[in-house]
Amino acid sequence: MGIIAWIVLGLIAGAIAKAIMPGRDPGGFIVTALIGIVGAFIGGFIGNMITGAGLNGFSLWSILLAIVGSLLLLWIYRLTTGRRV
């Protein structure tokens, strides 16, 4: 899958992950986009480790893996940048 396809898939996954886990995050669209793109890579890596099939084009499996990776990364991001007293 080409880099442009990874970016587009990551943007879609980041938007869906943000909709599933709404909340106030610093950075707005840029951070959401980056979390989605990196989350797509993480989801593809996890899918490749578990089943041997990572992200292959724009299939339902690829989108689900990218969303799971984005949710995982968003959760970690929120843990590390939580409210500081």
Side-chain angles (χ1 to χ4, degrees):
M1 184 151 77
I3 190 72
I4 301 297
W6 277 96
I7 292 171
V8 171
L9 182 62
L11 291 173
I12 293 168
I16 293 172
K18 182 77 170 190
I20 292 173
M21 281 179 61
R24 294 183 51 133
D25 294 322
F29 176 75
I30 301 293
V31 172
T32 301
L34 290 175
I35 285 175
I37 293 167
V38 175
F41 281 104
I42 291 171
F45 179 74
I46 292 171
N48 194 24
M49 287 179 56
I50 293 172
T51 65
L55 301 178
N56 297 321
F58 282 99
S59 66
L60 181 61
W61 176 246
S62 296
I63 293 172
L64 288 176
L65 284 176
I67 292 170
V68 168
S70 296
L71 285 170
L72 179 65
L73 188 61
L74 184 60
W75 178 70
I76 292 169
Y77 176 75
R78 287 183 179 173
L79 282 178
T80 59
T81 62
R83 294 184 184 202
R84 293 183 170 58
V85 178

